[in-house]
């Protein structure tokens, strides 16, 4: 069962190039009985972000800037060890890397255009404040002898 389930799309027509993915397998920690001591189920997936040709240049620069804290020599690393089978951990790692790159290459949000509060709404707010103040002022015990 060594076939990956299709290319992992980052966004649009851009997907993770299988040739540029570097896989490393090791034994997972944690519970699992005798099986866990003999099988390399933990997956470490490395992707050389600095040297890749698969991403458009703008995306690449954006991702390098946003993931600067996670990169080691321009390489981003993702680990997966939550499943007991290596194949499912490979899937999980690839999906995680694809979503990480999708987030890192997303265009910046549009700046908020400031809008004015309509005069009617502002006046209504001030009237309500005044009424509330009157109510509270009426609670003082001056006339309650």
């Amino acid at each position: 069962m060594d076939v990956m389930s299709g290319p992992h799309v980052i966004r649009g027509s851009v997907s993770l190039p299988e040739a540029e993915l570097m896989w490393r397998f090791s034994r997972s920690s944690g519970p699992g009985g005798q099986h866990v001591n003999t099988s390399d189920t933990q997956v470490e997936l490395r992707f050389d972000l600095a040297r890749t040709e698969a991403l458009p240049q703008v995306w690449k620069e954006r991702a390098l800037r946003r993931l600067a804290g996670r990169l080691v020599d321009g390489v981003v690393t993702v680990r997966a060890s939550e499943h007991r089978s290596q194949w499912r951990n490979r899937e999980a790692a690839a999906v995680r890397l694809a979503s990480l790159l999708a987030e890192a290459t997303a265009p910046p949000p549009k700046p908020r255009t400031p809008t004015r509060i309509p005069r009617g709404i502002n006046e209504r707010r001030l009237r309500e404040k005044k009424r509330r103040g009157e109510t509270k002022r009426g609670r003082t015990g001056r006339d309650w002898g």
Side-chain angles (χ1 to χ4, degrees), residues 120-136:
I121 290 176
N122 207 23
E123 285 172 359
R124 186 170 55 203
R125 181 181 64 89
L126 294 174
R127 271 200 309 274
E128 187 54 46
K129 275 169 71 92
K130 208 166 235 31
R131 192 179 308 126
R132 193 91 185 110
E134 294 293 328
T135 306
K136 289 185 172 190

Side-chain angles (χ1 to χ4, degrees), residues 26-144:
S26 57
R27 294 188 184 140
S28 290
S29 60
Q34 291 90 335
H35 171 74
V36 80
N37 301 328
T38 57
S39 56
D40 293 340
T41 54
Q42 178 173 290
V43 172
E44 186 179 284
L45 175 57
R46 296 159 53 95
F47 180 66
D48 195 339
L49 190 56
R51 292 189 194 82
T52 186
E53 296 298 318
L55 299 177
Q57 192 59 35
V58 184
W59 287 22
K60 194 160 125 177
E61 287 162 8
R62 207 180 283 154
L64 285 168
R65 203 170 44 251
R66 288 186 184 164
L67 297 174
R70 280 195 68 150
L71 298 176
V72 179
D73 299 331
V75 177
V76 65
T77 306
V78 174
R79 270 201 190 87
S81 61
E82 59 270 13
H83 300 292
R84 286 181 63 174
S85 86
Q86 185 190 94
W87 188 79
R88 284 177 65 192
N89 279 332
R90 283 176 65 142
E91 283 290 300
V95 167
R96 208 171 293 163
L97 179 63
S99 68
L100 180 74
L101 288 174
E103 210 171 292
T105 59
K110 289 190 173 74
R112 181 186 170 285
T113 53
T115 55
R116 287 192 50 196
I117 297 169
R119 200 162 99 217
I121 290 176
N122 207 23
E123 285 172 359
R124 186 170 55 203
R125 181 181 64 89
L126 294 174
R127 271 200 309 274
E128 187 54 46
K129 275 169 71 92
K130 208 166 235 31
R131 192 179 308 126
R132 193 91 185 110
E134 294 293 328
T135 306
K136 289 185 172 190
R137 206 171 302 119
R139 291 178 186 158
T140 58
R142 284 189 304 242
D143 304 332
W144 288 8

